[in-house]
């Protein structure tokens, strides 16, 4: 089946530094990638939608300059958390529309970001 | 307004028993899709079952079935013969919008239900 590989799975960074999270579709072309954020025991909140070759569409309240999304190819989308602060500590997960009979979704395995 | 509502923050079930996780949704679209996902403590999102708005029969996938009541806008997940490995957080999600529309493809998630299976 369709697989999205997400790296790193876990990262700890110092306050003020930037962190890049990658999502790669391994066996299909992901024209659209969705990025979510999840706090412990809470729901997944959509941050932005990225389409290959175009600017990402951010949800209301999400800082574009802080969460930089790049979707330069059909198999790679990246989320960069710039000037990270402890409040950015969260679980970030990507998903792509996967080929199939009802256009389901394939999720990455998620990245647990801790900013110290 | 909340588009997907899961009113059970936590549910407990005895091993081998069946359990129903509730989900109601709100949309004005005629075409939409409903999904259930399982999220264990590792964080991965595991797809369980899908129901399209035009599907007349309730979806089933192994021990999972979806009780789709369109008029009531509910899409409850039924897990039969619960296993210890079913303990996880469960999310109901909806995709609305028509293909080609700007909002097409977005998944909206409910608050989730933490299911605990007791031996």
């Amino acid at each position: 089946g369709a697989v999205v590989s997400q790296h790193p799975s876990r990262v700890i960074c110092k306050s003020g530094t930037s962190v890049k999270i990658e999502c790669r579709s391994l066996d299909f072309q992901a024209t659209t990638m969705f990025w979510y954020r999840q706090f412990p025991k809470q729901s997944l909140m959509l941050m932005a939608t990225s389409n290959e070759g175009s600017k990402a569409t951010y949800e209301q309240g999400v800082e574009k300059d802080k969460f930089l999304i790049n979707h330069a190819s059909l198999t790679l989308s990246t989320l960069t958390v710039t000037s990270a602060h402890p409040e950015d500590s969260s679980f970030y997960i990507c998903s792509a529309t996967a080929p199939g009979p009802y256009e389901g979704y394939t999720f990455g395995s998620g990245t647990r970001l801790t900013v110290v | 307004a909340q588009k997907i509502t899961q009113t059970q923050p936590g549910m407990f079930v005895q091993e081998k028993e069946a359990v129903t996780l509730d989900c109601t949704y709100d949309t004005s679209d005629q075409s939409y899709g409903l999904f259930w996902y399982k999220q264990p403590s590792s964080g991965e999102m595991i797809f369980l079952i899908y129901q399209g708005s035009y599907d007349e029969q309730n979806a089933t996938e192994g021990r999972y079935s979806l009780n789709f009541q369109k008029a009531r806008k509910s899409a409850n997940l039924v897990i039969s013969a619960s296993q210890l490995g079913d303990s996880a957080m469960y999310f109901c999600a909806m995709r609305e919008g028509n293909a080609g529309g700007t909002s097409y493809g977005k998944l909206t998630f409910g608050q989730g239900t933490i299911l605990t299976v007791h031996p």
Side-chain angles (χ1 to χ4, degrees):
Chain A
V3 175
V4 171
S5 175
Q6 182 170 348
H7 292 280
S9 58
R10 213 176 266 272
V11 60
I12 301 172
C13 72
K14 290 187 176 180
S15 190
T17 62
S18 296
V19 173
K20 182 185 281 189
I21 301 169
E22 288 190 352
C23 278
R24 290 182 185 273
S25 57
L26 298 186
D27 47 3
F28 68 102
Q29 294 182 333
T31 53
T32 303
M33 193 77 78
F34 303 94
W35 287 92
Y36 294 88
R37 181 177 184 174
Q38 184 184 28
F39 292 108
K41 292 188 169 37
Q42 292 190 25
S43 185
L44 278 73
M45 300 303 297
L46 181 65
M47 299 174 66
T49 303
S50 74
N51 292 291
E52 184 265 339
S54 61
K55 289 185 178 180
T57 303
Y58 290 81
E59 295 299 301
Q60 196 171 7
V62 177
E63 298 177 62
K64 301 178 185 181
D65 295 332
K66 182 162 194 61
F67 299 100
L68 299 179
I69 290 172
N70 185 281
H71 196 156
S73 77
L74 286 171
T75 59
L76 175 64
S77 179
T78 61
L79 165 67
T80 301
V81 183
T82 62
S83 187
H85 291 287
E87 56 265 30
D88 298 324
S89 298
S90 189
F91 186 69
Y92 295 87
I93 191 165
C94 62
S95 81
T97 304
Y102 48 78
E103 294 187 30
Y105 301 84
T106 296
F107 283 81
S109 52
T111 297
R112 205 164 298 276
L113 170 64
T114 304
V115 185
V116 298
Chain B
Q2 192 75 22
K3 291 195 171 185
I4 294 280
T5 303
Q6 294 180 252
T7 57
Q8 306 154 316
M11 287 286 285
F12 295 88
V13 66
Q14 206 71 26
E15 195 179 7
K16 298 180 185 176
E17 298 290 313
V19 63
T20 298
L21 306 184
D22 295 341
C23 173
T24 56
Y25 60 92
D26 183 27
T27 182
S28 55
D29 288 344
Q30 296 300 310
S31 176
Y32 52 89
L34 296 159
F35 299 77
W36 276 93
Y37 290 91
K38 171 185 177 181
Q39 187 180 42
S41 56
S42 59
E44 61 187 307
M45 294 292 284
I46 301 169
F47 166 75
L48 297 177
I49 198 164
Y50 167 82
Q51 181 85 40
S53 57
Y54 293 118
D55 295 340
E56 294 188 351
Q57 293 201 339
N58 287 342
T60 60
E61 289 283 352
R63 294 187 298 114
Y64 305 106
S65 60
L66 199 152
N67 185 359
F68 181 46
Q69 298 190 40
K70 195 170 182 177
R72 297 178 61 183
K73 293 189 176 177
S74 75
N76 298 340
L77 176 71
V78 180
I79 305 175
S80 62
S82 296
Q83 301 171 357
L84 295 177
D86 293 336
S87 293
M89 193 153 188
Y90 288 79
F91 289 100
C92 178
M94 176 173 65
R95 176 186 63 220
E96 57 183 337
N98 296 315
T102 56
S103 65
Y104 184 72
K106 288 184 184 182
L107 266 186
T108 303
F109 287 84
Q111 306 93 317
T113 297
I114 298 175
L115 175 67
T116 304
V117 181
H118 288 305

